[in-house]
Amino acid sequence: MTEIRTPLRRRPAQRRSAERVQRMLDACAEILDEDGYDGLTTTRIAQRAEVAIGSVYQFFPDKRAVAQALALRNLEEFGDRISARLAEGGFGDWSDTVGAIIDIFVEMHRTLPGFRVLRFGDVADVNLLDSDADNNAVVADRLRTMIVETFGVQDSPGLATALAISVEAGDAVLKMAFRRDPSGDPEIVAEAERLIRGYLAAHIQET
């Protein structure tokens, strides 16, 4: 699995410091929803989080680093929700998880502060999560690890490629769904699921 370096200048050693960092990330998310990435500044983050500007710079060198930390938090939340859903079971095959994963993504887009703007970081930098891999590749890598561990699927370059293509295709079609409707056009979301499930089903038959 891809190893992602922390954007923090230093890790908070005390609970109070950790809570302060989370307030900064919450503030970042709120500002992104209001004014987008261009409207994000470290000064505004400090004001919204009710901390001194020095506290921001104590942990983050710039606004990009704050956005990176928020994108990482988004990725962890996405992974946690998927893991919880996979643990519930009810899937005949690993490719049957597509609908559940898309549902989780759409729900986060609708309800998680800052997610509709930042998601996993592309608005700031397509390599925000990892300097050596684009953001979608990092997401695909996380999904591959969960699928291999949960379903006992044999890991292979072919599986990695199939999931990378699925994430890219899903990302493009879901962007279309949210351009058409701020809540995600249900018809386009359904087509995204049909497209990816069909592709993965064909991949399974070929392997």
Side-chain angles (χ1 to χ4, degrees), residues 136-154:
N136 279 345
V138 174
V139 174
D141 190 49
R142 289 291 177 95
L143 291 174
R144 179 171 59 87
T145 299
M146 284 188 282
I147 286 168
V148 168
E149 291 177 351
T150 303
F151 294 95
V153 177
Q154 183 177 0

Side-chain angles (χ1 to χ4, degrees), residues 21-31 48 70 73 113:
V21 168
Q22 291 305 313
R23 288 209 312 274
M24 294 175 198
L25 299 187
D26 293 341
C28 176
E30 291 172 5
I31 295 165
R48 183 65 61 91
L70 180 60
R73 191 171 77 172

